[in-house]
Amino acid sequence: MKNYILLYIIITIFSIKAYSQKEKEPSVILNQKKYVEIDVIKTYERVAGKGYKSVDMFKKIANSYYSNFEPEKSVSWYCELFAMTSNLEFEYYYRYAESLKSIGQNEEAYQLLKKFDQKEIAIKEEIFKKQL
């Protein structure tokens, strides 16, 4: 008799644990259809089209097109960016030059790569001076 009671208790415990291990579907998945995906770059382009100009916004748009391998669009936005300011980090010169080379404007790309080299050397000299 004791064996049956012990067996009954063990089966009950395991069945409760097995039932509690069932995965419940999170409510986020159920409510996922309520959210809309927003294309930030298209929004930035609309804002820029309305006349608002910002160096940071142009950097984001140009870098997005550069990363997505769309050199024609990235060149136009890098052109806008460089028209606003020339006080940019040296990697923007490189990205702009690469985009220009991709669309066949090699002479302009070469000029930008010269500026890129000059800026990179200047930064390395500053770092070297700080280390001394």
Side-chain angles (χ1 to χ4, degrees):
M1 185 71 173
K2 287 184 179 180
N3 289 339
Y4 288 115
I5 294 173
L6 185 61
L7 183 63
Y8 180 73
I9 292 172
I10 291 174
I11 291 174
T12 305
I13 291 172
F14 281 117
S15 66
I16 290 172
K17 281 193 170 195
Y19 179 74
S20 68
Q21 294 298 321
K22 288 186 179 179
E23 185 178 337
K24 293 183 178 180
E25 195 169 323
S27 63
V28 174
I29 294 174
L30 297 174
N31 295 331
Q32 193 172 19
K33 294 179 182 177
K34 292 182 181 178
Y35 300 107
V36 177
E37 188 173 316
I38 298 172
D39 189 1
V40 177
I41 299 304
K42 297 294 181 192
T43 304
Y44 283 153
E45 286 179 336
R46 283 193 304 271
V47 169
K50 291 182 179 180
Y52 178 76
K53 295 186 178 189
S54 165
V55 172
D56 186 48
M57 184 174 67
F58 285 174
K59 282 180 183 180
K60 289 177 183 177
I61 296 170
N63 287 340
S64 173
Y65 285 125
Y66 176 80
S67 299
N68 291 329
F69 306 108
E70 296 182 45
E72 295 87 10
K73 291 180 180 179
S74 68
V75 164
S76 66
W77 287 105
Y78 280 126
C79 183
E80 291 280 333
L81 177 63
F82 277 81
M84 286 183 71
T85 182
S86 62
N87 188 18
L88 296 166
E89 294 86 4
F90 66 95
E91 61 261 10
Y92 289 101
Y93 287 88
Y94 180 77
R95 292 175 184 165
Y96 189 21
E98 285 295 310
S99 298
L100 285 169
K101 280 188 355 183
S102 296
I103 61 171
Q105 296 179 2
N106 294 330
E107 187 59 39
E108 293 174 23
Y110 180 71
Q111 296 300 323
L112 279 171
L113 284 176
K114 278 187 185 178
K115 291 179 184 178
F116 166 76
D117 287 338
Q118 293 169 353
K119 285 209 173 243
E120 186 180 28
I121 289 170
I123 289 173
K124 287 181 179 179
E125 287 176 353
E126 286 180 29
I127 292 171
F128 182 72
K129 288 178 183 176
K130 288 180 181 177
Q131 289 178 350
L132 293 178

